[in-house]
Amino acid sequence: MPRSAPTGAYHELMVLTAADGNPVSHAQLERWRREKLLPAPDRVYLGGQAGTRTSYPQEVKDLARALARRHRPGRRLDDTVLLAFFCDSARIPEVPLKLALIRTYFPDRERHRDAAAKIVDAVPADPGSERDIYYDWAEAEAILEVKKGGMVIRKMRANLRRRPNLAHASREEIDGRLLGVLTHLNSPHLPEDDLDLMRDLEAAIDLDSDESSVARLAVWECVAAAHACQMARFGETNAEERFDTLCRTPPEELHRLRDEVVAAQQEVWRRATGGRRGTLAPETVSMSRSAARALAEWTTARKAHPEGSSYADVHFTDSLLDLARATALAWLLNHAGRERAAMPPVDKAGEGRTAFIARTAGAAGRRRRTR
């Protein structure tokens, strides 16, 4: 059956998107309308014998242009929606926006929780000690992160080798140290009295580096988000509560929270690159999905922070500043250790008592952390 010619409203949208260099078909516009992304056009009475014509208000034209800008053949509709929402600040209608957030956040969260639960369940019971379920879950999260690998893990491995005693360590030892860092970042609190762990943490996040790279940005985002949870009021939620909270969040509130998440990403990028690489926009599918998960999480997590807290402040400024405070002593010790490692060798017979103690401290090995 032949398709009818585009209506006045559809024709207008097709002309606008084509002028932008992002032409969309009549069929695509109909699909967006079926998915509630586009409303029915307004019908305007022209008077007399002229009849009527259909048209869209300017906000719908802007929305169609944003969707067309992000549309690609074969791309998931949810990804098109998220890219338009986060990159173009598009006014996405409530239902398709919440569906895109839900379908991006919850399946990923549940898969991760199921994988962590399998690791926790496999931990053998120790009759001689009281089991710390929070530690077990934190350790499971760390194991999954290291196993998943990726830019953050590779960069943190490289950063750990900044400690002189780990410069030539085996991959197995580096991963053991990394598991310790990630486990304690995922725990309810940082063990600030465990100086060796804090030295590993300081080295792994490398807050004082002059390097400008996406990898540095990714590490900062990862640790800042984890530590932000440690700074919050402790509480437990489940998937049903998070789902209900997201569904009940008004569209205007989601748009405001979207701006907070994007501002946080841009601030991390600015500092990680020293301001030399311009502003950041989540213009890839993976970045928009990451922003969507952060937004969905924040709709619930913000309740654990003081009223009025912004995502950008909590997940970057406050969190990284507090990490800098917590690792200050570790930084001093690591910095001194690197300086000593860079010095030419000296005659050990005349090194003196203080240097001998510094050189031989910890020779018995890394102390075991308790749960």
Side-chain angles (χ1 to χ4, degrees):
M1 177 179 173
R3 187 182 299 276
S4 60
T7 65
Y10 276 8
H11 177 72
E12 192 173 15
L13 294 184
M14 292 169 69
V15 170
L16 284 172
T17 56
D20 290 341
N22 306 300
V24 292
S25 66
H26 182 207
Q28 183 61 57
L29 292 174
E30 286 186 338
R31 282 194 288 271
W32 287 346
R33 183 174 170 183
R34 285 197 300 271
E35 296 292 338
K36 310 298 183 185
L37 279 166
L38 298 178
D42 298 329
R43 188 167 293 277
V44 181
Y45 178 62
L46 301 178
Q49 298 297 317
T52 63
R53 69 176 176 87
T54 58
S55 180
Y56 278 119
Q58 187 61 46
E59 63 183 34
V60 176
K61 295 175 185 177
D62 292 341
L63 170 60
R65 294 172 72 183
L67 292 171
R69 192 176 300 121
R70 304 301 167 183
H71 171 70
R72 299 288 185 277
R75 174 172 285 173
R76 291 193 326 159
L77 181 62
D78 287 346
D79 290 331
T80 299
V81 167
L82 294 176
L83 284 165
F85 181 64
F86 285 104
C87 298
D88 305 303
S89 301
R91 307 294 296 183
I92 306 293
E94 180 176 8
V95 171
L97 172 59
K98 288 183 175 178
L99 284 175
L101 292 170
I102 288 168
R103 290 191 290 238
T104 300
Y105 173 64
F106 285 98
D108 182 75
R109 179 180 185 273
E110 291 309 302
R111 282 193 297 269
H112 187 82
R113 296 283 293 179
D114 289 344
K118 290 180 180 178
I119 295 174
V120 171
D121 291 343
V123 175
D126 185 353
S129 64
E130 183 178 349
R131 184 169 183 177
D132 185 345
I133 192 62
Y134 295 115
Y135 181 93
D136 289 346
W137 272 97
E139 189 174 49
E141 295 276 355
I143 291 170
L144 289 175
E145 289 178 46
V146 173
K147 185 181 297 185
K148 181 180 178 182
M151 183 188 301
V152 169
I153 298 303
R154 290 194 299 271
K155 182 59 176 171
M156 292 181 85
R157 282 193 186 111
N159 286 347
L160 275 168
R161 294 188 183 277
R162 295 168 61 236
R163 290 196 63 178
N165 63 318
L166 296 178
H168 304 291
S170 67
R171 171 70 170 270
E172 183 180 8
E173 181 177 359
I174 291 294
D175 278 2
R177 299 291 187 114
L178 184 54
L179 278 172
V181 167
L182 294 173
T183 295
H184 287 88
L185 273 173
N186 284 310
S187 297
H189 304 285
L190 275 180
E192 295 187 32
D193 60 330
D194 187 339
L195 188 54
D196 204 28
L197 182 281
M198 297 305 289
R199 292 182 68 176
D200 281 352
L201 174 62
E202 189 281 327
I205 60 180
D206 194 14
L207 285 176
D208 66 332
S209 172
D210 292 330
E211 174 192 342
S212 296
S213 71
V214 177
R216 184 187 185 201
L217 161 72
V219 169
W220 284 13
E221 279 192 314
C222 174
V223 300
H227 188 54
C229 296
Q230 296 175 324
M231 297 172 66
R233 175 175 53 82
F234 183 74
E236 293 186 1
T237 61
N238 55 38
E240 290 76 13
E241 291 171 342
R242 290 168 185 254
F243 181 86
D244 185 65
T245 298
L246 179 55
C247 288
R248 291 175 181 272
T249 303
E252 288 301 319
E253 186 74 357
L254 286 177
H255 284 78
R256 185 182 68 79
L257 298 178
R258 182 267 321 275
D259 294 342
E260 292 183 11
V261 170
V262 172
Q265 291 182 323
Q266 291 173 342
E267 180 65 5
V268 175
W269 174 260
R270 183 183 70 81
R271 299 205 184 190
T273 62
R276 293 185 290 272
R277 297 181 63 178
T279 58
L280 173 75
E283 296 204 350
T284 66
V285 169
S286 62
M287 290 177 70
S288 68
R289 289 179 184 176
S290 176
R293 288 189 286 267
L295 173 57
E297 180 81 17
W298 182 236
T299 58
T300 296
R302 62 187 173 137
K303 298 177 182 178
H305 295 274
E307 187 175 354
S309 297
S310 76
Y311 186 93
D313 288 343
V314 168
H315 283 76
F316 182 77
T317 306
D318 295 347
S319 182
L320 290 186
L321 282 175
D322 194 65
L323 278 170
R325 174 203 60 77
T327 59
L329 178 57
W331 178 87
L332 287 172
L333 293 172
N334 284 345
H335 187 71
R338 288 193 293 273
E339 286 188 342
R340 284 198 300 272
M343 292 175 63
V346 298
D347 181 5
K348 293 293 191 295
E351 64 182 337
R353 180 174 181 274
T354 301
F356 175 79
I357 293 173
R359 180 173 60 82
T360 58
R366 181 184 179 87
R367 73 176 176 85
R368 182 181 180 184
R369 300 188 192 91
T370 59
R371 296 186 181 183

